[in-house]
Amino acid sequence: MKSILRIAIQKSGRLSEDSIKLIKECSIDFSSNGATLKSTAYNFPMEILFLRDDDIPGYVADGTADVGIIGENVAAEQRKNVTIVDKLGFSKCRLSIGVPRAFDYKDCQSLNGLKIATSYPNILSDFLFDRQIKATIHEISGSVEIAPSIGLADAVCDIVSSGSTLISNGLKEVETVFHSEAILIAHPNLSSEKKEILNDLLFRISSIKNAKNTKYILLNAPDESLEKIIQLLPGVKSPTIMPLAQKGWSSLHSVVKEDEFWEVIGKLRDAGAEGILVLPIEKIIK
Ligand code: ATP
Ligand code: ZN
């Protein structure tokens, strides 16, 4: 039987949409209607399992799934026997400690003697141990941020992205305990056939990551400006230059990071560039 790579992704939650998007950007087609637990890709040897994110490390460790997409925070908390094979750059968040706004917080030693509510007891206990802080960890599975207001704890250690949930619960963020983003994990002993499929997947993912925030840029310029413009747009290797039908003018093609583009646009025009087109890039193979 031909080998197939089983990938576990979150069924519904903050990782789901971007996980599906990433696999589809790898040109792997499958149906994801939200109701099924399993889907088979039409054009790649892959099966997709839709699971609760907390269950994914266990299933990858025991081989029920070969690879999985989860938050780094979940991997760090559960400490299952899995290999982190790639960082995926989405679902970025942090695990932070929050205390009531009125709390007179000086430094992490202010946490001594407090009762801290969290769903991440292992990560928190390492943080406290490293700083020799003696605090009580109160493990709860959800709605951690309301624990202080109902008298369940003095502080929280919870996932934060903008910080607005902490603020709306009368808390202030005082320490960052862990930085997280989505990661791809794998079973530590995949067969060589499965490893080959995984390598193909990783190659596709890297071409998508290379293209992130990168644009294709085309412009026209008088020949005497070309040298200056090439300095501004070095591209992957070097820009392509093609003569225009109009004598003394050329068309220049290159790639540019989106944020750098806004920095160089003024300089490009000052150098004589005209008719600037900026197009999206899907994939870059280096
Ligand atoms: P499930 O029902 O699958 O157990 P969940 O409620 O445990 O879902 P989500 O809230 O969907 O989990 O979060 C999944 C992961 O997304 C987290 O483990 C974390 O890595 C990341 N995450 C959580 N909150 C945010 C946020 N506000 N912004 C970005 N990423 C986040
Ligand atoms: Zn979960």
Side-chain angles (χ1 to χ4, degrees):
M1 208 181 84
K2 247 184 111 41
S3 257
I4 222 172
L5 192 75
R6 291 185 126 194
I7 185 168
I9 64 173
Q10 191 186 25
K11 183 165 167 56
S12 80
R14 293 178 193 273
L15 293 159
S16 312
E17 202 182 307
D18 285 332
S19 302
I20 291 173
K21 191 167 134 231
L22 178 68
I23 300 172
K24 294 204 164 166
E25 280 174 344
C26 289
S27 313
I28 299 171
D29 291 330
F30 61 98
S31 76
S32 51
N33 57 21
T36 44
L37 293 176
K38 197 170 93 172
S39 186
T40 306
Y42 311 125
N43 58 354
F44 194 78
M46 177 180 273
E47 231 169 47
I48 302 98
L49 308 179
F50 302 91
L51 301 169
R52 281 202 59 196
D53 69 334
D54 313 67
D55 296 335
I56 293 175
Y59 283 135
V60 171
D62 73 19
T64 307
D66 303 309
V67 296
I69 297 177
I70 53 164
E72 220 173 339
N73 51 316
V74 172
E77 179 60 29
Q78 294 194 5
R79 297 167 190 187
K80 291 279 190 327
N81 184 21
V82 297
T83 311
I84 297 178
V85 284
D86 208 358
K87 294 203 176 201
L88 302 174
F90 60 83
S91 294
K92 287 193 174 161
C93 59
R94 56 194 187 273
L95 197 59
S96 286
I97 295 181
V99 298
R101 208 176 307 137
F103 187 96
D104 180 23
Y105 190 88
K106 294 198 175 61
D107 57 31
C108 64
Q109 295 306 324
S110 304
L111 298 169
N112 269 304
L114 299 189
K115 188 169 168 188
I116 309 174
T118 189
S119 308
Y120 296 88
N122 290 326
I123 299 177
L124 177 58
S125 100
D126 278 359
F127 175 87
L128 298 173
F129 181 82
D130 288 347
R131 289 158 187 78
Q132 300 184 323
I133 300 163
K134 295 241 175 313
T136 311
I137 297 175
H138 183 68
E139 185 180 351
I140 46 180
S141 60
S143 305
V144 171
E145 65 285 351
I146 63 161
S149 62
I150 59 171
L152 211 56
D154 306 304
V156 300
C157 174
D158 202 9
I159 295 286
V160 175
S161 59
S162 69
S164 59
T165 310
L166 285 184
I167 292 167
S168 63
N169 283 284
L171 302 169
K172 59 183 177 188
E173 186 177 353
V174 291
E175 298 286 341
T176 304
V177 173
F178 190 81
H179 286 278
S180 181
E181 66 182 85
I183 54 172
L184 185 73
I185 55 168
H187 183 70
N189 304 306
L190 290 179
S191 69
S192 55
E193 292 91 351
K194 287 188 189 251
K195 264 190 205 149
E196 214 171 292
I197 304 170
L198 175 59
N199 284 338
D200 188 351
L201 178 70
L202 288 171
F203 179 73
R204 295 182 187 203
I205 292 175
S206 77
S207 80
I208 291 157
K209 287 206 292 195
N210 289 339
K212 272 265 137 59
N213 306 317
T214 302
K215 301 285 177 194
Y216 192 75
I217 180 166
L218 301 90
L219 56 85
N220 296 329
D223 289 342
E224 62 271 19
S225 318
L226 287 176
E227 207 144 309
K228 214 169 177 183
I229 293 174
I230 290 168
Q231 301 295 319
L232 294 167
L233 296 172
V236 174
K237 188 159 187 184
S238 84
T240 305
I241 313 270
M242 283 182 287
L244 290 189
Q246 186 177 339
K247 238 187 153 5
W249 279 73
S250 292
S251 164
L252 179 144
H253 301 198
S254 191
V255 298
V256 64
K257 288 277 169 209
E258 187 161 21
D259 45 356
E260 290 165 14
F261 167 76
W262 295 111
E263 282 168 26
V264 297
I265 180 79
K267 291 181 192 157
L268 290 174
R269 292 172 70 181
D270 289 347
E274 288 178 9
I276 303 171
L277 300 183
V278 179
L279 310 174
I281 299 178
E282 265 185 26
K283 298 175 178 74
I284 295 181
I285 320 289
K286 282 189 175 157

